[in-house]
Amino acid sequence: MHEIARKGELILKDGSVYEGNFYGSHNAVGEVVFTTGMSGYQEMLTDPSFCGQIVVMTYPLVGNYGINPMFNQGRKSFFGGYVIGEMCDYPSNWRSEKSLGQFLKEQDVPVLTGVDTRAITRKIRNYGVLKGIIVPEETPQEEIDALMATPDVHDQIAQVTISEKYTLGEGKYHVAVLDLGIKQSILNYLQSFDCWLTVFPAYTSAEEILSVRPDGIFLSNGPGDPKDVPEVIENIKKMLGKKPIFGICMGHQLLALANGADTYKMKFGHRGINQPVKVLRNGKIVISSQNHGYAVDEKSLRGKNIEITHISMNDGTIEGLAYGDHLTFAVQYHPEACPGPGGHEALFQRFIEMMGGHKHAKA
């Protein structure tokens, strides 16, 4: 990083302290989470699903291939703070336009480097996600206490969603996209399947969404607790059975709640581009990109016409659901995999086939 660092600390709610080099114009407060990706740091930094969190990279060296705006996934970085082992100041890549340090300074993201990030990861894995702060070493204790007492944030989706609807692309199928914090790569991927999109703010009414007469509805990824947005859940309920619906990540959780199931906060969530998932229909194992701290409660599905289609190979949690009462399905991961491995085209093809069949039935 091309500025002079101050000594700084990551302090966790349980009193644990991790010392490092602090860069930034302000302190950081947020839920401390870790991600296991070895690359894709720019896509992670601009993924709105990380809104307000202090993100710890388990991979020790970050920034070695620099930054290029073409890989941004959102309009800015919504990170609360960033914790890495070693930051590369002089990247080497023909596409690089600036260093990671320059980008973080522009985005005003507080950073702590020179930290044993794997020790922090072990702490979170053992005790669960913890609130934390990043501060200069000389910060008075009363200021630390005040930061720790900061109320938890519950309006992350409101922070990241768009303010006005817009249309995108052209194609055979018209998809209404509910932007809960969507990544640009997902919009691009939908368009690659011969779709044109009308993208709506998260709190748009069901009536307005249905009024554009879409062939299908896509519910995006997004940050926070799905139970924080009851009005969005009510709008989704009104759209069930009206059009084919495909949900991912936050969209997956909101669909479950709209269908009478329940969600819960996980111990430390799934974040990274190397998460193994089993497809129950054929027993195939796929590697997925994930970023979530909540999951659907399997017990809450009992007695409902809902099929578990995918499970996590790491902890057995639900990774996909299909709804028997209407043309609706969802997965917990990011199937466009940016960053991450591909191989999830069948999910989008299934959505296309649903929309095609629905159009045929209407005709």
Side-chain angles (χ1 to χ4, degrees):
M1 201 137 180
H2 302 296
E3 61 178 284
I4 298 174
R6 294 178 284 170
K7 287 295 182 183
E9 299 173 333
L10 169 68
I11 305 173
L12 300 182
K13 187 75 171 178
D14 70 348
S16 303
V17 178
Y18 301 87
E19 298 178 346
N21 300 311
F22 176 80
Y23 301 91
S25 63
H26 59 91
N27 301 322
V29 184
E31 182 182 62
V32 181
V33 302
F34 66 87
T35 180
T36 57
M38 294 180 289
S39 62
Y41 52 82
Q42 183 179 344
E43 291 91 338
M44 295 178 207
L45 274 162
T46 53
D47 178 356
S49 293
F50 280 114
C51 179
Q53 293 176 322
I54 295 175
V55 181
V56 179
M57 297 288 288
T58 59
Y59 192 69
L61 178 64
V62 185
N64 53 314
Y65 54 85
I67 295 287
N68 185 305
M70 69 184 292
F71 299 115
N72 286 344
Q73 296 300 310
R75 61 184 180 270
K76 67 167 197 164
S77 176
F78 291 95
F79 271 33
Y82 202 28
V83 180
I84 58 180
E86 181 181 352
M87 178 148 51
C88 177
D89 286 336
Y90 301 99
S92 177
N93 186 283
W94 67 275
R95 281 176 165 162
S96 176
E97 295 188 3
K98 65 184 69 171
S99 71
L100 175 59
Q102 290 171 311
F103 178 77
L104 292 168
K105 185 175 182 180
E106 290 172 4
Q107 296 291 314
D108 200 22
V109 176
V111 189
L112 194 69
T113 71
V115 186
D116 184 352
T117 58
R118 297 188 181 192
I120 302 170
T121 301
R122 286 193 296 270
K123 163 73 72 170
I124 295 170
R125 285 180 61 89
N126 288 334
Y127 297 97
V129 292
L130 293 162
K131 186 174 186 176
I133 61 174
I134 299 175
V135 293
E137 185 180 50
E138 66 275 10
T139 305
Q141 186 60 45
E142 57 268 26
E143 186 175 342
I144 291 172
D145 294 341
L147 288 167
M148 280 294 185
T150 304
D152 293 337
V153 176
H154 293 282
D155 66 343
Q156 292 98 328
I157 288 177
Q159 292 182 50
V160 301
T161 192
I162 52 175
S163 57
E164 295 181 355
K165 74 176 181 181
Y166 63 93
T167 59
L168 198 60
E170 56 185 34
K172 181 178 179 181
Y173 302 98
H174 180 198
V175 178
V177 177
L178 194 62
D179 179 3
L180 306 163
I182 198 165
K183 291 155 58 183
Q184 182 61 45
S185 56
I186 296 172
L187 296 170
N188 297 344
Y189 207 64
L190 280 168
Q191 289 181 83
S192 75
F193 282 86
D194 202 17
C195 296
W196 68 280
L197 316 176
T198 302
V199 187
F200 292 93
Y203 299 93
T204 306
S205 70
E207 292 77 14
E208 183 177 349
I209 294 170
L210 293 171
S211 72
V212 303
R213 303 180 67 183
D215 299 311
I217 298 166
F218 184 85
L219 308 179
S220 82
N221 62 294
D225 183 344
K227 293 178 181 176
D228 284 343
V229 286
E231 56 270 60
V232 178
I233 296 168
E234 289 303 312
N235 282 321
I236 293 172
K237 285 181 181 179
K238 295 175 184 177
M239 295 188 287
L240 295 175
K242 303 287 176 58
K243 302 286 180 179
I245 302 178
F246 178 20
I248 67 167
C249 198
M250 174 60 75
H252 161 81
Q253 296 164 15
L254 293 175
L255 272 172
L257 292 168
N259 280 275
D262 197 12
T263 58
Y264 64 94
K265 184 164 183 155
M266 304 170 75
K267 185 176 181 181
F268 50 79
H270 298 161
R271 297 175 180 87
I273 60 176
N274 45 11
Q275 303 282 330
V277 170
K278 184 173 185 178
V279 184
L280 297 183
R281 174 177 53 83
N282 56 20
K284 182 180 179 181
I285 308 300
V286 296
I287 304 301
S288 66
S289 177
Q290 301 196 18
N291 181 5
H292 64 102
Y294 293 81
V296 176
D297 184 354
E298 184 175 352
K299 298 189 295 295
S300 70
L301 303 180
R302 292 171 186 165
K304 298 178 176 61
N305 191 13
I306 305 174
E307 175 192 1
I308 299 174
T309 58
H310 301 66
I311 60 169
S312 167
M313 293 299 292
N314 285 336
D315 57 17
T317 54
I318 292 172
E319 293 285 353
L321 294 171
Y323 296 83
D325 295 332
H326 33 77
L327 293 175
T328 303
F329 73 104
V331 292
Q332 180 61 81
Y333 50 92
H334 294 195
E336 101 301 345
C338 187
H344 307 289
E345 296 85 359
L347 293 167
F348 290 88
Q349 192 58 49
R350 179 180 175 186
F351 186 43
I352 296 297
E353 290 169 0
M354 282 183 171
M355 289 192 290
H358 192 65
K359 287 181 80 168
H360 181 72
K362 282 177 63 180

